[in-house]
Amino acid sequence: MRVIAGKWKGHSLQAPKGRDTRPTTDRVKESMFNLLPHQLEGDIVVDLFAGSGALGIEALSRGAKRAVFVDADRRAFNVVRENLTKLDALAQATVWSLDWRRAVAKLSAEVPDVDWVFLDPPYDKALWEPVAMALAEHVQIHGGIVCETPKHHTLPPDMGGFVQVKYKVYGDIAVSVYQPQT
């Protein structure tokens, strides 16, 4: 697993050991970022269920100003910090070891305005809708929410005031981009 584009292009990233983390493949990650409607220059992003932190790190590499990384798994938390340290990117990052409910509450209190949220929860928990609804209620998201799902899992056309504007399948993985309804 590596950074695809930007200032850290080609740098390898570590992933947490075990089966609890399912790193986004380089191909899917590249395609996911190509679906975003604008450059990330100066944006604030949230990598929720961060795992290795690859999505937030990719956003930072592509010009995001700040990234918040959240994962309840302590091993993932440690790997995200290691990856950020290796890239000398800790100054641009906040890393929380929290479950998603506590993370949404903390975002609401500490980082209430963000541009993009990358949402890649454990597939077996099917948390996309409840997390998106909670985010929409408590956090101002200007750009949108990017969801990674197994291709057989169908997300609704709208979630909590966000409408699906793009949907692509890459092998067994689907990526949906939701933007605020206007």
Side-chain angles (χ1 to χ4, degrees):
M1 182 175 46
R2 62 188 172 88
V3 180
I4 302 300
K7 64 183 171 185
W8 300 314
K9 179 180 180 175
H11 281 78
S12 63
L13 300 173
Q14 298 302 311
K17 304 281 189 248
R19 297 180 178 263
D20 293 336
T21 301
R22 173 194 27 75
T24 301
T25 66
D26 290 350
R27 179 176 162 246
V28 171
K29 186 170 39 175
E30 181 174 18
S31 300
M32 178 186 293
F33 279 86
N34 288 339
L35 291 176
L36 298 183
H38 76 282
Q39 300 300 316
L40 297 173
E41 196 68 40
D43 284 359
I44 297 172
V45 301
V46 177
D47 189 347
L48 200 50
F49 305 96
S52 66
L55 298 178
I57 289 170
E58 187 71 33
L60 288 172
S61 183
R62 291 171 183 245
K65 172 174 67 175
R66 183 147 199 78
V68 178
F69 298 86
V70 181
D71 205 297
D73 185 308
R74 199 66 184 171
R75 290 172 301 181
F77 170 85
N78 291 331
V79 167
V80 170
R81 288 192 58 84
E82 287 173 25
N83 284 330
L84 290 165
T85 299
K86 176 181 164 187
L87 296 168
D88 196 26
L90 276 172
Q92 293 178 265
T94 303
V95 187
W96 297 333
S97 181
L98 298 171
D99 67 60
W100 71 268
R101 285 180 183 87
R102 289 178 49 215
V104 169
K106 192 166 183 164
L107 282 167
S108 177
E110 296 182 21
V111 193
D113 289 300
V114 301
D115 295 291
W116 290 96
V117 176
F118 296 97
L119 183 53
D120 185 15
Y123 288 177
D124 62 335
K125 299 207 187 311
L127 293 171
W128 298 276
E129 292 176 67
V131 173
M133 300 295 275
L135 285 166
E137 187 175 331
H138 298 287
V139 180
Q140 181 68 40
I141 303 170
H142 303 285
I145 300 172
V146 182
C147 299
E148 182 179 327
T149 63
K151 74 175 180 182
H152 62 78
H153 185 89
T154 304
L155 292 175
D158 59 76
M159 294 190 292
F162 290 85
V163 63
Q164 187 180 62
V165 295
K166 294 185 181 174
Y167 174 83
K168 295 283 185 180
V169 175
Y170 308 98
D172 293 337
I173 305 298
V175 175
S176 299
V177 177
Y178 286 82
Q179 291 187 289
Q181 288 181 336
T182 55

